[in-house]
Structures are given as C-alpha cells and as structure tokens.
Amino acid sequence: MSNAIYEKITKCVEAIREKTSFEPDVALVLGSGLGNYAENIKIEAEISYNDIPGFPVSTVPGHAGKFIFGYVGDVKVVCMKGRIHFYEGYNVSDVVLPARVMKMLGAKILFLTNAAGGLGQGFAAGDLMLITDHISMFAPNPLIGPNIDELGARFPDMSEVYKKDLQEVIRSVAKENGIKLQEGVYAQLTGPSFESPAEIRLLGNLGVSAVGMSTVNEAIAANHMGMRVCGVSCISNLAAGLSENPLSHEEVQEAADKAAPLFTKLVTESIKKFQI
Ligand code: HPA
C-alpha cells in the first residue's frame, strides 16, 4: 500500500541523489551553539533544503537551512544546519522527515544535539549533558498514523534509544579532554512558550534533568528505523523558576554560543571514535 509520507521521503532522497552520491555513516543534527560546526567538516557537498522539493523549509526568509555532506576526520557525515521544530507548525511527520531521509542516504548513527533548560541536581548554565533516556509523552509521537512498514515495526521497542556503546564513547571523550559532562533524562515539550515553574517542578518529580523543544521526535523516528542514536544537550539556562531571571531566546543563544568550543570538541572527537 502506498503511503504519502513514505513517498515524500523517497522523493526527497531521489532529489538529493541527483545532486550527490555521498553516502554518510553518521548523521548529525546541529542544535543551538553548533551553528558554525561546518568549520570542522571537510565539505564534499551542500544542499539547501529549498532545493529539495517537498522538504519542509522555514517560512522565515534566509533561514532555510541545509544539509552539509563531508568528513569529520575520516568519518563520512551528513549534518543538518537548521532543524525542523514542531512548534513552527509542521506536521510531526515533517519534523522527522530529515532523520528518515538521512537514514535512507546511508547514515547508521544519528547524533542529536540541542540547547535545553537544566533542572538536574547541580546543573549550571553552560554545562553539557549526555542524554541517557527521554520522556516523549508531552510531545506528539511521530509514529502515529498508518505504520510505514518499509521503515520499521508498528510497536517499536524504546528500551535503549540512546545506545550504551555510543554513550560510553562520549563519556570517555569528555574525560580525556577534561570536559565536564552531566548526564540525564531529556523531556521534549512542544514549546514555543518556555515552561512554567510548576511544569518544571512536575518534570523534576518525573526524573527529568533537561527540557527542550526538539530531539525526542527525531530519536523515536530514528530508533523505529533501526538507527543507533545518541545525544548531547547544552544546558543553556536553568529551567523556569530555578533562577531569578525570566527566560529569553537571547539568553539561550548566548549561553549556547559560549559553550560551542567544548561542545564542538566533544561532538567531533566522539564521532571519530564511534564504531560504525
Ligand atoms: N525550556 C525549553 N526549551 C529550551 C530551554 C528551556 O528552558 N532552554 C533552551 N531550550
């Protein structure tokens, strides 16, 4: 049976294949703070989302984003500079379309990064956090609707989305490079409003250490397809109610930019060490 979502994915893959035959092993989604990550890639090809028919693109002019294909060390990567968020108004199937496309281009590992509000014990703005697990039920599930059997099972297991061996690599890289690395559970909420202090207290009671507006949609879709997932959050701020200041996008961006050098190092050295 044909499935409109699957057809859209395969059309995007075909459009990309008309422009490059590069087959990445690792897919990297760049969150806030890693906007200049392309500097660390030996670039082989770049494809603007605008040039892929059907691909969800931002309606803000100049903010379309692009795929960057190339090498981190000897590792073949595809990077997403600019991700699709549910709060922008896209269907969740469009939010996860890029991850599905990157898998079909060859990527076996999905490395997710983001900026997040921190509520874990002892967390401070500027910390990096290894995502050990997630809480998804405050965000739409991207697998709702007819199952796309070509991609994965109807009821996929989610007991180890963030693969232990990849976590171990990231931990060891942090240690070797003297990078402080927190660990914890990431919860995705829809946004775009930040959380209320009561919501943050609730999430704390649920065992959440970091909260944001991305990542879990993509992680679920990737796990469904059998990709090996890992993720790191940049704790750009303490979550609502945990500091005196009201939250602002500017504060998030500023803190993420400040953490960028260490974040970049952690991501780059980890990718080089992953067992593909
Ligand atoms: N809440 C949700 N998303 C975020 C935050 C936050 O505090 N900081 C960065 N992204």
Side-chain angles (χ1 to χ4, degrees):
M1 196 182 71
S2 83
N3 175 294
I5 294 171
Y6 188 63
E7 274 175 25
K8 193 167 175 179
I9 298 164
T10 51
K11 285 221 169 72
C12 288
V13 172
E14 282 164 21
I16 292 167
R17 280 292 169 242
E18 279 172 21
K19 296 174 199 295
T20 181
S21 58
F22 193 87
E23 289 197 12
D25 286 314
V26 174
L28 171 62
V29 180
L30 302 174
S32 306
L34 291 180
N36 294 324
Y37 189 80
E39 292 166 2
N40 300 279
I41 302 175
K42 185 169 151 277
I43 297 175
E44 294 286 321
E46 294 186 280
I47 302 176
S48 167
Y49 300 158
N50 272 328
D51 294 334
I52 307 169
F55 200 91
V57 291
S58 169
T59 48
V60 184
H63 285 232
K66 59 185 170 183
F67 284 122
I68 302 167
F69 296 86
Y71 292 86
V72 171
D74 294 329
V75 183
K76 297 173 87 172
V77 303
V78 55
C79 261
M80 281 185 78
K81 184 174 158 75
R83 65 145 54 91
I84 318 298
H85 297 91
F86 184 66
Y87 64 72
E88 293 175 81
Y90 300 104
N91 291 327
V92 66
S93 62
D94 278 337
V95 174
V96 301
L97 177 137
R100 288 169 162 171
V101 165
M102 293 191 290
K103 164 75 161 45
M104 289 178 78
L105 293 172
K108 293 147 197 85
I109 293 175
L110 178 63
F111 198 145
L112 295 163
T113 68
N114 60 47
L119 56 148
Q121 274 289 328
F123 279 25
D127 284 352
L128 298 173
M129 186 194 89
L130 176 67
I131 301 175
T132 55
D133 204 348
H134 69 219
I135 286 185
S136 74
M137 61 271 237
F138 299 111
N141 192 300
L143 307 181
I144 289 173
N147 187 52
I148 306 175
D149 296 331
E150 290 88 342
L151 299 181
R154 170 75 293 186
F155 300 109
D157 173 66
M158 293 280 152
S159 51
E160 193 188 320
V161 177
Y162 305 87
K163 292 290 171 274
K164 293 225 164 75
D165 62 318
L166 301 178
Q167 289 188 41
E168 202 41 51
V169 170
I170 296 169
R171 251 183 228 116
S172 70
V173 166
K175 201 164 177 205
E176 281 160 24
N177 290 279
I179 298 170
K180 178 178 167 200
L181 187 63
Q182 306 278 14
E183 298 194 9
V185 173
Y186 174 95
Q188 179 182 348
L189 276 66
T190 65
S193 48
F194 288 114
E195 302 70 36
S196 69
E199 287 163 347
I200 292 301
R201 284 194 297 276
L202 170 74
L203 293 169
N205 288 334
L206 297 178
V208 170
S209 289
V211 59
M213 306 175 192
S214 68
T215 300
V216 177
N217 288 152
E218 293 130 299
I220 289 175
N223 190 61
H224 175 238
M225 289 183 288
M227 287 180 101
R228 295 161 60 219
V229 178
C230 62
V232 175
S233 295
C234 169
I235 303 300
S236 53
N237 55 280
L238 290 181
L242 300 179
S243 81
E244 304 288 299
N245 315 329
L247 298 177
S248 74
H249 178 64
E250 288 69 29
E251 176 195 355
V252 167
Q253 192 62 51
E254 222 172 273
D257 287 344
K258 238 170 144 180
L262 285 184
F263 205 172
T264 299
K265 178 107 189 152
L266 184 63
V267 167
T268 300
E269 298 309 315
S270 296
I271 288 175
K272 287 185 193 165
K273 288 199 170 164
F274 286 157
Q275 208 90 46
I276 308 291

